[in-house]
Amino acid sequence: MTEFTVYRRGFMVGLAATAGILPGVSLAQAGDPVRGGTLRISHSTRIATLNVLTLSGPAEYPVIDMVYSGLTRIGPDNTPLPDLAESWEASEDATSFTFNLRPGVTFHDGSPLTAADVVATFEAILDPDIPSAARAVLTMVERIEAVDDLTVRFHLSTPFADLPFSTAHANARILSKAVVEGDLSQIETTANGTGPFKLETYDSARIVRLVRNENYFIEGKPYLDAVEMHLFPDLAAETVNFLSGDVDVMLNVQQADYDRIASAPGVNALRVPSGRYINVVMRQDQPPFDDVRVRRALAMAVDRQLLVDIVLEGLGRVGNDNILSPEFQFYIDSPEIPYDPAAARALLAEAGYPDGIDITLVASNRPAIRGQVAIAIRQMAEPAGFRINVESMPHDTYLANVWMQGNFYMGYWGMQPTEDATFRLLLTSDASFQDTAWFNAEFDALVELGQATVDPAERARIYAEAQELILRDVPYIVPFFEDVLTASRSHVEGWTVQPISRVFFIEDVWLNRS
Amino acid sequence: MTSPFRSYPGMVGGLLLLIVGVAALFGPWLAPYDPQQFHPQVRLQGPSAAHWLGTDQFGRDILSRLLHGAPSTVFFGIGATLLGVAAGTIIGVIAGVAGRWVDSVIMRIIDGFLAVPDLLFTLLIVTILGGGMGHAMLAVAVAFTPGMARIARSAVLSIRTREYVLAAVARGESSVYIVGREVMPNAMGPIIVEATIRVSFAIMIGATLGFLGLGAQPPSTEWGLMVAEARQFMFRNPWMVVVPGIAIALAAMGFNLFGDALRDSLDVRRSH
């Protein structure tokens, strides 16, 4: 119960590689996949919508990953794999990309997939009148052209080497042209995709059931007859149902339950190091966080290793306020920020707060670790002069009243596939969820430049400079990176999660009843 | 009237009340540790010499949290009940004394409220007002008011036709004098008994609201909230759930048993 392990980054990267590759190896060794059976997956957050253009719920991603396909798909090693596009070529200057579509793909309603569907989908994503989450990573796309029925060409306004990452965005899945041109609100509750499974039942309060797409474009897949997503609003009930074998897969395991579930008989627990993080939001357009010294003081008043030990139960890594985790290609090693309340108090006094600061920190109740981190920070920052009053609230209230508005609250973000996507999600002046008021023209310019640069060495230099700015100005406190935790019963073969938790490869899963 | 402590339940209830009362009045000074202080090296442990009732997920001392939570938990119950009793008594006495159509109108409205169970009614009010201890206390008080009004009215009705009241009316006393000096003192018995028993329900509803996240907020040491927070860790340290759970049960039982004994000793028909 009380043993603490300090992980070194080298070890964790090794673990990341193992977690990414081993499931594939064990799949090959487990014998030939058997067709048939129903996979029951439990989850604790509602599948509130099936709108593939906008959804962002943890349990919504696996559903659209089963129903829809994209041009490309992010693989376990965080590189784009072919999906609907068999292959692609970039022009020399990375301003034009040509995608060659798989022939003979059909939508679930039987209509054939053509370049016109792809063009219609991306035009909808880029249309400012249609809400879409993938637009932020596709802003450089000027025009999409259907060269012939099976060839699509993207024309870019600036060079952008990472376009195949952008087309793999979880919310950039291909809809049929008829759906895009019809009443778009129907994609909230219905789905006509090209993915391995077809939607059969959608009941957002209880169950979503999908059945095998017999015409899936990969011969012989999927192996499963059906997949059922069961909602368990109560975490304790979800764990009990999983341990008693009433469900086959638990989509997300809470840190507090991980050891118990991993040591239960007949269970395979999977732990994948990820760049998923908690970030403490400190708005800079009002006191007290308008002074970088106050932000630095709070950063020094957070004992990061203690948070990893007691909130994450050791299932994560210390972060040092860089929102990029070591998995990123252009990550720079961030200097360790030691826990030093005395120095923090001195810095706070220097910033004009010799008597400390009284402030309210808001934490929503989902996931549970948000509140726990807030309470821990309250306690750790007290000797530094921060008298923090923690206010917890239901997640819906938080989304409506505090998120993107408050000046001091707990954020929670999943890992993004690229540096560019990470920065444009939160930190550039025109970021999708800009909630810090850190409007830094120098940083914006570096992100633009990094996007338009093809040479890896040059990009590494540019992104390093951008990260230096983050570390200098502390727009967020990022105390740790959380491992993604999931579990399956031992008869489930091939169940994996990725660090970015957007793709699940459920067409590779099969049930080994022998 | 016989002493309520002469019956066995009355004695047990009185003893429990004494323990709860000491914890509520002196708990924060008796606690061995700061209730918010982390002891990361001894997280989620059972009872030990250093931590008599074990530690929680942050390594906070459960005994210290329990003692610090006693005042808010107990005074929540007493405060909510007092508010509810005061409001209910006023409404009930007005209805009982006024009689006729005033009585009918008030009582039909009260009957409407009584149709909704206490906890459900409280949840409804908290949902409208928003969470937090103050709102929760108000909600419990409002939920208690209809029941208390009925009891106060019935007490007043049974006294209204007594000879000493009729005598006061014949003397030409003012109605304020009659209510204040003749009716109220004699109607207080059933009201006090009911209030004592209701404190136990108020404590339980308060704990329920804390458990549901609608009452006290973390890192408060309110007992219901302690149970709610502990639930995630109950397989790793059952003491986290058991200790505040038993504390709630004992406090509620104390008020309940004592209230029962008080009723028995006040009720002439059952005392012999």
Side-chain angles (χ1 to χ4, degrees):
Chain A
M1 277 308 170
T2 52
E3 64 187 77
F4 299 114
T5 321
V6 179
Y7 295 106
R8 295 193 160 273
R9 180 169 298 125
F11 168 60
M12 295 306 293
V13 171
L15 195 69
T18 321
I21 293 158
L22 263 189
V25 174
S26 65
L27 179 66
Q29 289 167 338
D32 291 329
V34 181
R35 280 168 77 90
T38 299
L39 182 74
R40 295 155 303 174
I41 300 175
S42 74
H43 57 99
S44 56
T45 48
R46 214 158 65 90
I47 299 172
T49 175
L50 297 178
N51 185 338
V52 61
L53 295 176
T54 58
L55 59 73
S56 62
E60 290 163 358
Y61 285 118
V63 174
I64 56 161
D65 190 53
M66 286 187 268
V67 173
Y68 292 100
S69 319
L71 278 184
T72 51
R73 201 175 185 192
I74 297 290
D77 56 352
N78 206 23
T79 56
L81 302 175
D83 201 13
L84 287 174
E86 270 181 328
S87 61
W88 57 88
E89 305 95 43
S91 65
E92 195 69 21
D93 59 354
T95 57
S96 135
F97 280 75
T98 309
F99 291 87
N100 304 305
L101 303 182
R102 260 174 223 273
V105 177
T106 56
F107 283 97
H108 295 160
D109 69 355
S111 59
L113 171 96
T114 68
D117 298 307
V118 179
V119 172
T121 300
F122 280 96
E123 281 177 349
I125 288 170
L126 293 172
D127 183 346
D129 294 334
I130 301 173
S132 83
R135 194 184 311 131
V137 297
L138 289 161
T139 48
M140 76 302 295
V141 176
E142 203 168 59
R143 191 164 56 87
I144 312 128
E145 175 195 1
V147 178
D148 59 45
D149 261 7
L150 292 177
T151 313
V152 183
R153 188 166 297 146
F154 285 67
H155 298 277
L156 312 183
S157 54
T158 55
F160 181 49
D162 282 345
L163 188 73
F165 279 97
S166 291
T167 53
H169 193 284
N171 297 93
R173 314 271 174 143
I174 304 306
L175 300 160
S176 85
K177 191 175 183 216
V179 167
V180 175
E181 287 176 353
D183 176 12
L184 251 187
S185 67
Q186 61 180 318
I187 64 170
E188 299 272 348
T189 53
T190 62
N192 182 27
T194 52
F197 292 91
K198 296 189 281 192
L199 182 68
E200 187 184 81
T201 313
Y202 171 60
D203 176 351
S204 77
R206 204 171 60 84
I207 186 177
V208 174
R209 183 179 155 87
L210 307 111
V211 294
R212 185 212 313 266
N213 172 12
E214 298 289 355
N215 302 317
Y216 185 52
F217 51 76
I218 298 176
E219 200 64 45
K221 287 186 183 177
Y223 301 119
L224 297 163
D225 289 337
V227 178
E228 291 175 358
M229 304 281 296
H230 292 269
L231 172 65
F232 289 89
D234 185 86
L235 298 172
E238 185 185 5
T239 308
V240 169
N241 272 274
F242 175 72
L243 288 178
S244 68
D246 287 337
V247 295
D248 305 304
V249 167
M250 198 167 163
L251 186 60
N252 280 303
V253 177
Q254 306 293 309
Q255 285 85 359
D257 294 330
Y258 185 77
D259 270 353
R260 189 164 68 97
I261 287 173
S263 60
V267 168
N268 293 328
L270 190 59
R271 167 185 172 196
V272 181
S274 162
R276 194 194 276 183
Y277 55 89
I278 288 253
N279 58 334
V280 182
V281 177
M282 305 169 286
R283 268 199 90 87
Q284 299 178 18
D285 52 2
Q286 47 190 282
F289 295 119
D290 52 347
D291 189 330
V292 67
R293 288 172 296 190
V294 178
R295 304 198 293 275
R296 281 213 195 107
L298 186 58
M300 286 194 287
V302 175
D303 187 341
R304 292 141 204 268
Q305 188 59 51
L306 187 66
L307 283 178
V308 171
D309 288 341
I310 67 177
V311 177
L312 294 186
E313 309 281 350
L315 304 167
R317 292 161 290 167
V318 163
N320 288 300
D321 300 344
N322 187 348
I323 66 170
L324 295 183
S325 66
E327 281 80 14
F328 284 91
Q329 192 185 351
F330 300 119
Y331 163 83
I332 59 164
D333 213 357
S334 325
E336 190 191 330
I337 303 174
Y339 176 57
D340 191 346
R345 184 179 266 284
L347 194 58
L348 205 55
E350 191 189 315
Y353 300 96
D355 304 324
I357 290 177
D358 291 276
I359 193 155
T360 296
L361 174 60
V362 178
S364 104
N365 64 352
R366 280 293 156 92
I369 62 165
R370 259 203 246 234
Q372 294 184 22
V373 172
I375 289 167
I377 287 181
R378 169 192 184 276
Q379 201 59 27
M380 297 186 291
E382 207 173 17
F386 289 94
R387 288 176 299 274
I388 296 172
N389 168 36
V390 176
E391 189 182 343
S392 343
M393 56 176 66
H395 193 60
D396 289 339
T397 316
Y398 156 80
L399 290 180
N401 300 336
V402 177
W403 184 48
M404 305 284 295
Q405 299 166 44
N407 69 335
F408 194 36
Y409 59 90
M410 308 296 300
Y412 182 70
W413 286 101
M415 186 181 179
Q416 305 297 313
T418 62
E419 288 82 358
D420 187 66
T422 309
F423 295 148
R424 285 177 189 277
L425 186 77
L426 294 166
L427 286 178
T428 54
S429 299
D430 59 352
S432 310
F433 302 102
Q434 161 58 259
D435 58 359
T436 58
W438 183 57
F439 301 121
N440 188 311
E442 198 185 339
F443 180 79
D444 294 351
L446 283 169
V447 174
E448 288 293 332
L449 193 62
Q451 175 193 302
T453 305
V454 186
D455 175 38
E458 185 61 11
R459 291 185 88 191
R461 191 191 62 74
I462 293 165
Y463 282 135
E465 223 175 298
Q467 290 170 74
E468 296 289 354
L469 286 181
I470 296 174
L471 298 177
R472 188 193 74 192
D473 284 359
V474 202
Y476 291 121
I477 288 170
V478 181
F480 55 67
F481 294 104
E482 177 195 326
D483 295 348
V484 174
L485 307 174
T486 185
S488 58
R489 308 291 307 183
S490 49
H491 61 264
V492 178
E493 302 281 355
W495 169 259
T496 60
V497 290
Q498 314 301 327
I500 60 169
S501 308
R502 297 289 185 274
V503 275
F504 297 84
F505 298 100
I506 297 174
E507 68 273 19
D508 295 335
V509 175
W510 58 284
L511 303 179
N512 188 352
R513 296 288 187 188
S514 59
Chain B
M1 169 176 162
T2 55
S3 163
F5 297 109
R6 279 178 55 183
S7 70
Y8 189 56
M11 251 153 55
V12 174
L15 188 68
L16 288 177
L17 277 194
L18 185 72
I19 297 171
V20 170
V22 168
L25 290 173
F26 307 108
W29 290 276
L30 294 174
Y33 296 94
D34 175 348
Q36 307 295 1
Q37 193 195 336
F38 293 6
H39 303 93
Q41 299 309 317
V42 288
R43 300 174 59 218
L44 295 166
Q45 292 200 334
S48 63
H51 302 278
W52 291 2
L53 296 177
T55 53
D56 72 2
Q57 76 271 27
F58 294 117
R60 297 179 296 198
D61 183 57
I62 294 179
L63 176 63
S64 303
R65 291 181 68 72
L66 197 70
L67 288 170
H68 272 266
S72 57
T73 308
V74 173
F75 293 133
F76 175 91
I78 294 176
T81 309
L82 280 181
L83 278 175
V85 167
T89 305
I90 291 169
I91 294 172
V93 169
I94 290 173
V97 172
R100 292 190 304 248
W101 67 269
V102 178
D103 184 33
S104 299
V105 169
I106 291 178
M107 280 305 122
R108 292 302 81 74
I109 295 172
I110 293 284
D111 285 349
F113 283 122
L114 276 175
V116 186
D118 280 354
L119 180 60
L120 206 61
F121 199 19
T122 315
L123 282 177
L124 194 72
I125 299 166
V126 170
T127 310
I128 295 167
L129 293 180
M133 278 297 252
H135 286 159
M137 192 189 274
L138 199 64
V140 174
V142 173
F144 276 3
T145 302
M148 288 313 302
R150 250 201 181 286
I151 285 159
R153 172 179 171 272
S154 68
V156 169
L157 283 187
S158 73
I159 289 161
R160 204 171 61 169
T161 50
R162 297 277 169 89
E163 288 82 354
Y164 53 85
V165 176
L166 297 177
V169 173
R171 286 202 307 274
E173 303 285 6
S174 73
S175 53
V176 173
Y177 175 90
I178 296 172
V179 171
R181 297 299 301 274
E182 304 289 352
V183 178
M184 283 310 291
N186 294 294
M188 276 325 279
I191 293 174
I192 289 171
V193 168
E194 178 68 16
T196 315
I197 295 173
R198 272 182 188 253
V199 173
S200 66
F201 290 107
I203 288 175
M204 283 195 285
I205 295 179
T208 308
L209 291 176
F211 180 78
L212 294 174
L214 294 167
Q217 296 295 317
S220 157
T221 50
E222 197 268 331
W223 294 350
L225 183 67
M226 280 176 74
V227 177
E229 286 192 288
R231 220 166 130 256
Q232 220 194 335
F233 300 91
M234 68 182 176
F235 289 99
R236 299 171 60 187
N237 182 8
W239 291 89
M240 279 178 70
V241 175
V242 170
V243 168
I246 287 181
I248 294 167
L250 290 184
M253 250 166 67
F255 279 101
N256 208 315
L257 287 176
F258 182 74
D260 265 349
L262 199 62
R263 175 174 56 203
D264 289 345
S265 67
L266 284 176
D267 189 339
V268 186
R269 277 164 303 168
R270 287 182 58 190
S271 57
H272 292 289

